[in-house]
């Protein structure tokens, strides 16, 4: 984890996303609680190093079918809450729309409204529940974009498809076009709270 942080800093980056469900599986004989405590210890061990080189190390909550450890933003926030000063770069969290729509109790806009204003939510992955780019499935993202605008979010929003249909270049163009349209539609909403 420290080597990844150092590599990111050397390359001029500002953010590392720790997703990797395969790196988050309980060891033989461990239950979820023991594995969560081990993960907490590892994240806290790198927090000051990450802060010292100006890197935001994002704990990515993942869906329960991918890993039994850290499936919600609240679980990530519990880890971050152990830090004496959780507002320094170091540790933060992020939101993956696919994972959130599969594991969280709250809607994606509600999660953004709760976590974006406090500064702990520092990265967004946009993807449809069908694992393709936005606009290639049934999920709407106008409410997500509007929530980010409404809450003053100023971090990165990235496309993260897993199925490249019909190919990577076409999907990138499709997803980017869809998100530009969603941004325009969300920007035209002038008043009121984000859609629920």
């Amino acid at each position: 984890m420290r080597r990844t942080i150092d590599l990111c800093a050397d390359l001029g980056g500002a953010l590392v996303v720790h997703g990797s469900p395969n790196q988050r599986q309980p060891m033989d004989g461990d239950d979820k609680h023991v594995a969560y405590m081990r993960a907490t210890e590892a994240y806290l061990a790198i927090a000051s190093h990450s802060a010292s080189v100006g890197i935001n190390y994002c704990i990515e909550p993942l869906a329960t079918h991918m890993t039994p450890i850290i499936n919600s933003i609240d679980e990530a926030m519990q880890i971050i809450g152990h830090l004496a000063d959780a507002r320094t770069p170091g540790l933060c969290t992020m939101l993956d729309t696919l994972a959130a729509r599969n594991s969280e109790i709250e809607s994606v806009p509600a999660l953004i409204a709760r976590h974006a204003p406090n500064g702990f939510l520092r990265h967004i992955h946009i993807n449809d529940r069908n694992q393709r780019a936005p606009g290639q499935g049934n999920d709407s993202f106008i409410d997500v974009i509007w929530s980010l605008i409404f809450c003053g979010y100023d971090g990165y929003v990235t496309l993260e498809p897993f199925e490249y249909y019909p190919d990577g270049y076409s999907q990138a163009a499709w997803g980017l076009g869809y998100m530009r349209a969603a941004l325009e539609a969300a920007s035209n909403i002038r008043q009121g709270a984000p859609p629920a």
Side-chain angles (χ1 to χ4, degrees), residues 97-165:
T97 59
L98 167 62
R101 286 176 167 152
N102 284 330
S103 289
E104 297 275 7
I105 296 169
E106 294 175 274
S107 69
V108 172
L111 290 166
I112 292 168
R114 187 155 62 94
H115 294 287
N118 64 23
F120 296 118
L121 187 65
R122 298 201 181 125
H123 189 68
I124 309 291
H125 280 168
I126 299 283
N127 37 30
D128 194 277
R129 274 176 284 197
N130 69 1
Q131 299 191 350
R132 294 183 181 173
Q136 289 188 311
N138 295 322
D139 291 337
S140 171
F141 293 90
I142 295 172
D143 58 346
V144 174
I145 298 301
W146 167 233
S147 297
L148 293 169
I149 293 169
F150 185 83
C151 294
Y153 176 80
D154 63 355
Y156 287 104
V157 176
T158 62
L159 302 181
E160 189 197 32
F162 294 94
E163 291 184 8
Y164 297 98
Y165 177 82

Side-chain angles (χ1 to χ4, degrees), residues 20-162:
S20 289
N22 291 335
Q23 296 177 5
R24 245 194 264 179
Q25 300 303 321
M27 295 173 69
D28 291 340
D30 285 353
D31 63 15
K32 177 178 177 174
H33 176 73
V34 171
Y36 179 81
M37 294 311 295
R38 184 178 288 113
T40 299
E41 184 179 338
Y43 286 123
L44 295 177
I46 57 90
S48 62
H49 179 65
S50 187
S52 73
V53 295
I55 299 296
N56 290 295
Y57 198 96
C58 293
I59 303 169
E60 180 180 12
L62 295 174
T64 53
H65 72 274
M66 298 175 78
T67 179
I69 304 167
I70 312 170
N71 307 118
S72 69
I73 292 179
D74 283 342
E75 287 181 338
M77 288 299 299
Q78 287 172 7
I79 294 171
I80 295 164
H82 289 290
L83 296 174
D85 183 6
R87 290 192 178 272
T88 60
L91 282 183
C92 55
T93 190
M94 56 151 312
L95 187 144
D96 179 300
T97 59
L98 167 62
R101 286 176 167 152
N102 284 330
S103 289
E104 297 275 7
I105 296 169
E106 294 175 274
S107 69
V108 172
L111 290 166
I112 292 168
R114 187 155 62 94
H115 294 287
N118 64 23
F120 296 118
L121 187 65
R122 298 201 181 125
H123 189 68
I124 309 291
H125 280 168
I126 299 283
N127 37 30
D128 194 277
R129 274 176 284 197
N130 69 1
Q131 299 191 350
R132 294 183 181 173
Q136 289 188 311
N138 295 322
D139 291 337
S140 171
F141 293 90
I142 295 172
D143 58 346
V144 174
I145 298 301
W146 167 233
S147 297
L148 293 169
I149 293 169
F150 185 83
C151 294
Y153 176 80
D154 63 355
Y156 287 104
V157 176
T158 62
L159 302 181
E160 189 197 32
F162 294 94

Side-chain angles (χ1 to χ4, degrees), residues 5-30:
I5 291 164
D6 289 340
L7 176 62
C8 182
D10 288 347
L11 294 172
L15 184 138
V16 170
V17 173
H18 191 135
S20 289
N22 291 335
Q23 296 177 5
R24 245 194 264 179
Q25 300 303 321
M27 295 173 69
D28 291 340
D30 285 353

